[in-house]
Amino acid sequence: MQITEDVEELLSLGYRIATENNFVALFDMILDKCIDFTDADGGSLYIEAEGSLKHLLDINRTLDADSKKSSIEADKIAAGPDDTDIYTYCYHNPENLLNIPDIYLDDRFDITEIKKFDEENDYRTQSVLVVPILEPDQSVLGVMMLYNCLDDERNIIPFSSDYEKLVKSLTAQMANTLTSMILIQDQEELLESFVECMTTAIDARTPYNGKHTKHVARYCQVITDYMNVLYTRDAIDRYITPNEQEQLLLAAKLHDIGKMITPREILNKATRLGEKYSDLRNKLEKIRLRIKIDMLEHKMQIELWQEEDELLGRFLDQLDTLNTSGFLTDEQIAFIDQMGEKYYEDFDGTITPYLDENEKYSLHIRKGTLTEEEREIVKRHVTYTAQMLSKINFYDKYDRVVAIASNHHEYIDGSGYPRGLKDGQLDLLTRIMTVCDIFDSLTADDRPYKKKLTLEKALGILNEMAQEGKLDSGIVLIVSDYMSKHFKELSAQMKEEELREKEEEEKSYSDFQADGERMEEQERAIRDEAIPDDEVGITVTEELLDIDVPFAELPQGDRLPEKGLEKDDAVGRTLAPGEISGSIPKADVQEKKQERSETNVQQNGGMAEAEMRGEPGGIVVETDNSPEEVHNRRTAESVNEEIRARNEELERTKAEENEKAVVMDEIPRSGKPRSRRGRKSKGTGTTLDLETTKDSESADSAAEVKNEEPVNKALESLPFLDDDLLDIDDDREEDPNPFARHRAAEVLPSAGNPMLAGRAGGN
């Protein structure tokens, strides 16, 4: 096979279409090549967006016009919603490819826009080929129109059928590529929306760093942009690629996700004492009052009282400062230790220390507001971040997000946490985020345990940490250079953005409240809507407690609940006696119940006997699994259960009558058998009441013992009674399951001792 020039160009185009990842470039390439291959003079491309067509591209060889519409322009000149123009008609009727020799002679469409274009440019549009761009599922992605097909002498001719096939093939390839691009874009947008959701949740969890995550992400963005500017000016030798910048921003937004697990009382702990502050102040005020009373009652010397009162007063005056100060001096720590040694002893010997161990330990925090234990808990958020992000499937494009977010507290000298990584183990993106994270912590104005530092002071601390070998000195230098020049403008910009976000949130809340009445009306309408009786709920009968289906016989995927049969094996099975097909019409159910009940009574329990013989029971398995068929089958099962219950009841009644007759014939007419109550058969909830009829009050003890012996022997011979059951107290126990049906015929055999068979019953 010889590859001609045209074939080679088509193969090259197919490869470019398959590998293109830019929307506009893809559209431009397809439109341009379709014009070339069909010898058209020009073409237009419309793309579907939000249910309408947007005019995106125009190419005209004669006029030397090659224009790309911006999104705003595309909205203004979007095709109308009606099928009056040729583009919209093709969009709503994608099965109809339009090949028109002369558009001016076809009166089916409104060509006002085409005529306007011709008049403005002294042009004449004649032959047109309009092709829909279809996804594999035949959804319309857009519409392409080629116009004025030219022959070798540049005369306008109609488009041939070969051109129709060629254009359809190329647009189909473009649709496949476009579908893949849209899918990837949707995935990325989903990931971004998830990250934004988590960012909002992280910042909203504590009011004391509500803007921290967004600030760190913004600082990472502006610093990497600034680094690329410096790279273009040969100031640095490292360029941050778009993918690297994107990964850094995602990591910055997720770097504190582990704080979702950190206890809120620790995150929100703004003071050293926390909630214990009020209790401590009240305790010291009471002690101060007590020693004054002791002094007034001459139980304490005035000089000693003055000394203690002055000490307590001075400590109470400084308590707020000691509780909230960002850093405590040695003198303040010594004062706390002095108060920790003081206590008040009442006259009954009760000792109340000025500061208990917990209060002294909390006030002893030199820097910040957290104890060592609380600080370790906060540090764990980095580990939690790594654990949580490892559950997200970050594909290759975002393969560095987890590492960047998890290592933002590591220092290049190995003194960071949680893993103590060093210089060679921390990449450039992680170092950038570490510096940005520290910078925001230093300049934040929403931390109650410390004051906002000035820009100069914050940059000074960063430089000190770089000199100590903790931070990358090059990154610190770039951050210091940018922030010293642009921090004021950047801060103002971020505040404006935060204000707009707050206004949008308030507007959304107001809109939600405005829609409250309408939503309530809809809810009332839903509540008032009648639901069919058979959809409201189900009726549970006592028989539920007697059903015991082995797990192996329950539905497992395609397995059916009936005897473990597969569908193919069960279809067409013969009905068992008393069995009803699952396809009975709903209207005939009651009539079928009556007919089947009478038939089974006459057959003396057909279904029950079939089950006793091990024959399959239940309903016929149907291959149609529609809701109606499922309902019919369930109805049939209910009918079968009712038939079975009636047959069992009939048998039980007959058995009880026969047993009573036998017992009455064999009960001794003298003697008084001892009553035994509360005897329960093993493995059932059935109670045996073995109290026999009392015939004679004057019978002697010998007769009583003689008549009792058969009963005891019969009880001891029963295989289902344990020895300990023979000593149950006479007080009958309350049945724990009032819904269970206790049938003696199912517990005791009718053969054996006639007294037992005749006097057994349920409670």
Side-chain angles (χ1 to χ4, degrees):
M1 175 183 174
Q2 294 293 328
I3 299 179
T4 65
E5 184 178 346
D6 289 341
V7 173
E8 185 175 358
E9 192 171 356
L10 279 173
L11 293 175
S12 176
L13 177 61
Y15 177 79
R16 291 173 59 192
I17 291 174
T19 57
E20 183 58 60
N21 57 10
N22 182 276
F23 287 99
V24 177
L26 177 66
F27 298 149
D28 191 26
M29 175 173 55
I30 287 294
L31 181 59
D32 184 68
K33 290 303 179 181
C34 283
I35 291 174
D36 287 345
F37 285 132
T38 60
D39 297 320
D41 191 44
S44 298
L45 182 64
Y46 282 75
I47 295 299
E48 188 276 339
E50 300 178 356
S52 63
L53 291 175
K54 294 187 177 183
H55 195 176
L56 188 66
L57 292 174
D58 270 322
I59 297 177
N60 190 291
R61 298 283 193 247
T62 300
L63 300 176
D64 195 21
D66 185 356
S67 63
K68 300 176 179 65
K69 311 294 181 181
S70 68
S71 59
I72 299 176
E73 292 173 330
D75 287 335
K76 289 181 179 179
I77 60 178
D82 301 324
D83 294 345
T84 57
D85 65 83
I86 195 168
Y87 306 102
T88 313
Y89 176 84
C90 190
Y91 172 72
H92 291 294
N93 301 276
E95 67 282 357
N96 298 330
L97 180 147
L98 299 176
N99 190 346
I100 303 173
D102 193 335
I103 188 63
Y104 276 73
L105 301 180
D106 195 319
D107 58 359
R108 291 178 296 171
F109 309 107
D110 180 6
I111 59 172
T112 303
E113 291 295 329
I114 296 177
K115 289 181 177 180
K116 181 180 179 182
F117 173 82
D118 290 349
E119 292 175 359
E120 292 177 352
N121 297 280
D122 192 19
Y123 191 78
R124 172 66 162 86
T125 303
Q126 187 171 324
S127 61
V128 298
L129 178 62
V130 187
V131 182
I133 303 171
L134 301 177
E135 290 185 274
D137 63 356
Q138 301 303 302
S139 300
V140 182
L141 289 174
V143 175
M144 177 188 293
M145 185 181 80
L146 305 175
Y147 53 84
N148 289 356
C149 181
L150 303 175
D151 61 13
D152 294 338
E153 285 77 27
R154 296 194 60 81
N155 297 315
I156 299 176
I157 60 174
F159 289 90
S160 67
S161 59
D162 291 338
Y163 287 163
E164 293 180 10
K165 297 175 183 178
L166 178 62
V167 174
K168 287 177 66 176
S169 175
L170 292 177
T171 55
Q173 292 182 59
M174 183 190 79
N176 286 331
T177 302
L178 185 60
T179 301
S180 299
M181 292 168 64
I182 292 174
L183 179 60
I184 293 174
Q185 185 183 49
D186 288 344
Q187 290 177 338
E188 292 178 351
E189 290 178 354
L190 177 62
L191 178 61
E192 289 177 4
S193 62
F194 166 76
V195 171
E196 289 294 333
C197 175
M198 296 308 299
T199 299
T200 303
I202 295 167
D203 286 348
R205 194 163 187 264
T206 171
Y208 300 133
N209 61 348
K211 298 172 287 187
H212 173 68
T213 303
K214 294 179 180 179
H215 283 185
V216 173
R218 186 61 178 275
Y219 293 151
C220 288
Q221 180 181 9
V222 297
I223 292 301
T224 51
D225 287 340
Y226 187 57
M227 290 176 67
N228 286 340
V229 172
L230 296 176
Y231 174 80
T232 60
R233 298 180 182 181
D234 297 327
I236 61 175
D237 60 352
R238 182 64 160 84
Y239 174 75
I240 308 298
T241 67
N243 175 257
E244 288 178 328
Q245 189 177 49
E246 192 173 357
Q247 294 206 61
L248 177 59
L249 295 183
L250 280 178
K253 293 177 180 179
L254 294 171
H255 77 282
D256 273 347
I257 192 174
K259 288 183 178 178
M260 297 289 290
I261 302 177
T262 305
R264 184 176 296 185
E265 60 270 17
I266 296 180
L267 288 178
N268 293 346
K269 189 181 179 185
T271 62
R272 289 176 172 80
L273 291 170
E275 297 178 353
K276 298 180 292 185
Y277 171 78
S278 298
D279 294 338
L280 175 58
R281 177 169 283 277
N282 290 336
K283 179 179 70 172
L284 295 178
E285 293 285 2
K286 290 179 180 178
I287 292 176
R288 192 178 187 187
L289 180 60
R290 286 177 180 176
I291 62 174
K292 185 175 182 179
I293 294 174
D294 290 345
M295 181 272 295
L296 294 175
E297 293 180 348
H298 305 290
K299 298 177 181 178
M300 187 177 187
Q301 296 180 358
I302 296 178
E303 294 79 8
L304 181 58
W305 167 76
Q306 290 176 338
E307 180 181 346
E308 291 297 319
D309 184 71
E310 187 272 335
L311 180 64
L312 283 170
R314 186 157 53 91
F315 187 80
L316 286 171
D317 291 340
Q318 296 185 28
L319 185 57
D320 284 343
T321 302
L322 297 174
N323 189 35
T324 61
S325 178
F327 183 83
L328 297 182
T329 63
D330 292 338
E331 291 76 11
Q332 290 173 318
I333 295 294
F335 189 24
I336 294 171
D337 290 338
Q338 180 185 359
M339 293 297 294
E341 297 174 356
K342 295 283 186 177
Y343 62 90
Y344 172 79
E345 184 176 1
D346 205 342
F347 283 95
D348 59 0
T350 303
I351 296 177
T352 304
Y354 286 12
L355 298 177
D356 61 29
E357 290 300 322
N358 288 331
E359 293 164 345
K360 180 180 178 181
Y361 183 61
S362 297
L363 287 174
H364 233 271
I365 301 172
R366 184 175 291 272
K367 183 179 180 180
T369 62
L370 301 179
T371 64
E372 287 300 321
E373 293 78 9
E374 292 168 339
R375 195 175 296 277
E376 288 300 319
I377 292 174
V378 173
K379 285 184 177 181
R380 293 176 196 165
H381 83 274
V382 187
T383 304
Y384 297 146
T385 294
Q387 292 175 351
M388 295 171 71
L389 294 184
S390 65
K391 304 299 182 182
I392 301 176
N393 183 19
F394 290 103
Y395 41 94
D396 292 343
K397 185 177 180 180
Y398 302 112
D399 59 345
R400 298 166 64 182
V401 170
V402 178
I404 298 170
S406 304
N407 296 332
H408 70 279
H409 279 295
E410 302 284 358
Y411 296 148
I412 60 178
D413 64 350
S415 61
Y417 64 89
R419 295 187 291 167
L421 301 181
K422 294 184 178 181
D423 189 4
Q425 299 171 299
L426 301 173
D427 65 2
L428 178 64
L429 301 182
T430 301
R431 300 181 186 205
I432 294 173
M433 194 173 73
T434 300
V435 175
C436 292
D437 182 59
I438 296 174
F439 177 78
D440 182 69
S441 298
L442 296 173
T443 58
D445 58 0
D446 56 359
R447 308 296 171 91
Y449 49 82
K450 72 176 188 64
K451 294 181 180 180
K452 173 184 176 180
L453 299 182
T454 63
L455 177 62
E456 292 74 16
K457 181 65 174 177
L459 296 179
I461 293 176
L462 290 180
N463 284 304
E464 289 176 4
M465 295 181 70
Q467 292 173 5
E468 294 171 359
K470 297 181 180 299
L471 303 179
D472 188 296
S473 57
I475 301 300
V476 170
L477 181 60
I478 294 173
V479 170
S480 299
D481 182 58
Y482 178 87
M483 293 301 177
S484 61
K485 297 174 181 177
H486 307 293
F487 181 67
K488 184 177 181 180
E489 294 82 356
L490 179 62
S491 297
Q493 192 177 72
M494 289 192 298
K495 288 184 182 298
E496 290 179 2
E497 293 173 356
E498 292 165 4
L499 182 60
R500 283 198 301 268
E501 290 180 3
K502 186 176 181 180
E503 291 176 352
E504 290 176 0
E505 292 176 358
E506 293 177 352
K507 184 178 182 302
S508 299
Y509 182 72
S510 300
D511 293 342
F512 177 78
Q513 287 183 318
D515 292 339
E517 294 183 1
R518 178 179 57 82
M519 295 176 64
E520 290 180 0
E521 291 178 1
Q522 292 178 351
E523 291 177 357
R524 284 196 296 269
I526 293 174
R527 288 196 299 267
D528 296 340
E529 182 179 354
I531 301 176
D533 294 340
D534 58 350
E535 296 181 10
V536 173
I538 60 174
T539 301
V540 180
T541 63
E542 302 177 338
E543 282 75 6
L544 172 68
L545 303 175
D546 293 333
I547 298 174
D548 185 14
V549 182
F551 178 79
E553 297 183 14
L554 294 174
Q556 307 290 332
D558 290 337
R559 284 180 62 85
L560 300 174
E562 188 173 21
K563 305 298 182 183
L565 293 177
E566 301 294 337
K567 288 186 178 181
D568 294 338
D569 298 333
V571 174
R573 187 165 48 75
T574 305
L575 291 173
E579 185 173 323
I580 299 177
S581 171
S583 58
I584 298 177
K586 187 175 180 180
D588 298 336
V589 170
Q590 296 300 329
E591 181 179 352
K592 293 294 183 181
K593 284 184 180 180
Q594 183 64 26
E595 292 177 0
R596 291 295 181 182
S597 298
E598 295 174 356
T599 301
N600 278 275
V601 170
Q602 293 173 1
Q603 293 178 352
N604 194 20
M607 174 63 76
E609 293 179 5
E611 291 185 344
M612 292 289 290
R613 294 193 300 271
E615 297 178 3
I619 64 173
V620 170
V621 180
E622 301 288 346
T623 57
D624 185 3
N625 289 324
S626 65
E628 183 178 0
E629 289 299 324
V630 173
H631 172 75
N632 289 338
R633 283 197 288 271
R634 290 178 177 174
T635 304
E637 290 177 351
S638 176
V639 174
N640 286 332
E641 288 296 330
E642 183 174 339
I643 293 171
R644 187 182 298 109
R646 293 189 59 175
N647 290 337
E648 292 175 353
E649 187 66 30
L650 180 62
E651 292 179 354
R652 187 165 56 253
T653 302
K654 290 181 180 180
E656 289 178 355
E657 291 177 355
N658 293 336
E659 291 169 355
K660 288 180 180 179
V662 173
V663 170
M664 294 304 297
D665 291 339
E666 298 190 18
I667 291 180
R669 296 306 178 186
S670 63
K672 184 174 66 173
R674 186 174 63 186
S675 171
R676 291 180 180 268
R677 299 183 180 180
R679 301 192 181 277
K680 294 189 177 181
S681 61
K682 184 178 182 180
T684 70
T686 304
T687 301
L688 306 181
D689 186 356
L690 303 180
E691 182 178 4
T692 55
T693 308
K694 303 175 184 179
D695 285 326
S696 175
E697 295 293 331
S698 61
D700 56 18
S701 60
E704 179 178 352
V705 171
K706 181 180 180 180
N707 289 326
E708 184 180 4
E709 288 178 356
V711 179
N712 291 336
K713 291 180 179 180
L715 287 172
E716 295 171 357
S717 65
L718 290 178
F720 50 81
L721 287 178
D722 293 334
D723 293 339
D724 57 345
L725 292 177
L726 298 178
D727 297 323
I728 296 178
D729 295 336
D730 284 348
D731 293 332
R732 184 181 305 216
E733 297 179 356
E734 182 180 358
D735 189 357
N737 193 344
F739 295 99
R741 291 179 292 112
H742 307 301
R743 297 190 292 271
E746 297 177 355
V747 178
L748 292 174
S750 57
N753 191 298
M755 295 182 66
L756 295 177
R759 301 304 294 170
N763 24 338

